[in-house]
């Protein structure tokens, strides 16, 4: 499971570089819409090939809700908030999701209690993330809340996965939620975005990476990981995603890497280790 988590974080972390490059060629929400269109299309091919059945009636409504929360609202909130606050601050607020999911899991998921050790680990990880992103508290308070709401809605979607969709097929869920979310993104872009798309080989490459790897594969991996281990342990690992994004930006975009960033990265890794140390926590009962 650790290797799958590492692969997921590497894909999502490097996707920060791809998104930054892609947003120079497309309006931001439209780029996200094309990305998830490719991802959901690839997953539908897998569904047809593997003959995965149509979603059960009891699952269908939750696929719709998760699609609107995890794909539509989540991406719109990030892109809109980026217009007013820094990318570093947006990343920190978005990846505070483990804190919200751990709190929700404490109250609504049996066997996934927020222990003092987990709380300390998550807090250390988020402090490290703040240092790594070198954030500056500026911008509209409403935009700060909008960016924070992306973390909350992502946590809500993950809670639904843990509570309502444990017995659903992971490819089926990812395909349908992504399809519903993609429709929402296209509608938003059509109504509110302006600007031209610049199609070339680079644009196609960015969309293929973001669509096939960072959307189709990564979200199937995330849903699978989330179904197998405690929500708090699974989600806190995602704190490494923006850290990998920072390192990728340094390697491939020649962005600055400061001493405070390296200190923050060390704290993020320490926090993840603390949360994942095997203590007296019990194995999660199946729901």
């Amino acid at each position: 499971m650790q290797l799958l988590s590492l692969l997921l974080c590497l894909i999502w972390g490097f996707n920060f570089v791809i998104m930054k490059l892609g947003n120079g060629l497309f309006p931001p929400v439209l780029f996200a819409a094309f990305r998830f269109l490719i991802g959901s299309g690839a997953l539908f091919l897998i569904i047809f090939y593997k003959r995965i059945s149509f979603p059960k009636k009891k699952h269908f409504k939750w696929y719709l809700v998760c699609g609107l929360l995890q794909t539509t609202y989540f991406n719109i909130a990030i892109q809109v908030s980026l217009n007013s606050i820094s990318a570093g601050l947006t990343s920190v607020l978005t990846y505070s999701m483990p804190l919200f999911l751990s709190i929700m899991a404490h109250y609504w998921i049996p066997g996934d209690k927020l222990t003092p050790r987990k709380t300390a680990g998550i807090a250390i990880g988020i402090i490290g993330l703040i240092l790594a992103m070198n954030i500056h508290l500026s911008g509209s308070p409403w935009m700060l809340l909008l960016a924070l709401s992306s973390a909350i809605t992502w946590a809500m979607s993950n809670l639904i996965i843990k509570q309502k969709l444990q017995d659903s097929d992971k490819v089926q869920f990812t395909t349908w939620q992504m399809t519903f979310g993609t429709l929402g993104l296209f509608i938003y872009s059509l109504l509110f975005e302006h600007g031209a798309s610049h199609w070339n080989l680079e644009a196609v490459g960015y969309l293929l990476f973001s669509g096939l790897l960072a959307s189709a594969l990564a979200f199937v991996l995330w849903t699978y990981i989330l179904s197998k281990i405690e929500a708090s342990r699974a989600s806190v690992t995602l704190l490494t995603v923006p850290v990998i994004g920072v390192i990728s930006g340094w390697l491939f975009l020649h962005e600055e890497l400061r001493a405070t960033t390296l200190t923050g990265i060390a704290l993020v890794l320490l926090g993840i280790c603390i949360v994942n140390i095997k203590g007296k926590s019990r194995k999660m009962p199946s729901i």
Side-chain angles (χ1 to χ4, degrees):
M1 200 60 64
Q2 287 86 352
L3 289 176
L4 289 180
S5 297
L6 176 60
L7 175 62
L8 173 66
C9 292
L10 286 172
I11 292 172
W12 271 347
F14 183 69
N15 197 48
F16 273 96
V17 172
I18 299 299
M19 287 192 297
K20 186 166 185 177
L21 294 171
N23 285 349
L25 300 172
F26 299 91
V29 176
L30 183 61
F31 178 79
F34 281 133
R35 163 194 172 183
F36 289 112
L37 178 65
I38 291 172
S40 57
L43 290 172
F44 267 118
L45 291 177
I46 294 175
I47 280 182
F48 292 138
Y49 178 76
K50 296 183 68 175
R51 298 182 179 179
I52 298 173
S53 62
F54 194 79
K56 297 177 182 178
K57 186 176 180 181
K58 67 174 183 177
H59 291 155
F60 203 79
K61 63 180 179 182
W62 296 117
Y63 291 1
L64 173 60
V65 172
C66 287
L68 295 177
L69 291 175
Q70 182 172 290
T71 300
T72 302
Y73 184 87
F74 178 79
N75 284 279
I76 291 173
I78 290 174
Q79 297 297 349
V80 173
S81 60
L82 278 172
N83 291 328
S84 298
I85 60 179
S86 69
L89 180 53
T90 303
S91 299
V92 170
L93 294 174
T94 297
Y95 279 89
S96 65
M97 183 276 289
L99 175 62
F100 295 106
L101 180 57
S102 297
I103 293 171
M104 293 176 187
H106 178 79
Y107 290 103
W108 287 299
I109 299 179
D112 197 351
K113 298 301 180 183
L114 191 58
T115 64
R117 175 176 54 81
K118 287 182 182 178
T119 304
I122 293 169
I124 290 171
I126 291 178
I127 290 170
L129 193 58
I130 292 171
L131 285 175
M133 296 294 102
N134 191 32
I135 66 169
H136 302 284
L137 290 174
S138 61
S140 165
W142 294 111
M143 291 297 104
L144 295 174
L145 290 175
L146 182 64
L148 190 63
S149 72
S150 69
I152 296 172
T153 55
W154 190 12
M156 290 169 60
S157 178
N158 290 329
L159 183 67
I160 291 171
I161 294 170
K162 294 291 289 185
Q163 278 196 313
K164 304 294 185 181
L165 300 172
Q166 285 287 91
D167 61 336
S168 68
D169 184 275
K170 304 304 176 284
V171 174
Q172 181 194 78
F173 162 74
T174 306
T175 304
W176 284 97
Q177 74 84 12
M178 197 175 289
T179 299
F180 291 133
T182 300
L183 289 173
L185 290 171
F186 273 116
I187 291 171
Y188 178 91
S189 180
L190 181 65
L191 293 176
F192 299 106
E193 281 195 316
H194 306 285
S197 299
H198 302 282
W199 290 95
N200 53 40
L201 287 177
E202 287 185 346
V204 172
Y206 300 152
L207 285 172
L208 287 177
F209 181 92
S210 286
L212 297 178
L213 296 182
S215 299
L217 174 61
F219 277 100
V220 170
L221 283 176
W222 169 242
T223 305
Y224 175 77
I225 292 167
L226 191 60
S227 70
K228 295 298 182 181
I229 61 177
E230 293 176 353
S232 52
R233 290 179 59 201
S235 62
V236 76
T237 307
L238 295 182
L239 291 176
T240 59
V241 172
V243 169
I244 292 171
V246 170
I247 296 173
S248 298
W250 172 64
L251 288 173
F252 296 98
L253 300 177
H254 308 293
E255 296 177 345
E256 188 176 4
L257 188 62
R258 302 179 180 178
T260 53
T261 302
L262 296 174
T263 303
I265 290 172
L267 287 175
V268 168
L269 296 177
L270 175 62
I272 292 170
C273 289
I274 290 172
V275 171
N276 285 278
I277 288 173
K278 292 183 179 180
K280 296 180 180 180
S281 59
R282 298 166 297 168
K283 191 175 181 180
M284 269 195 63
S286 52
I287 299 174

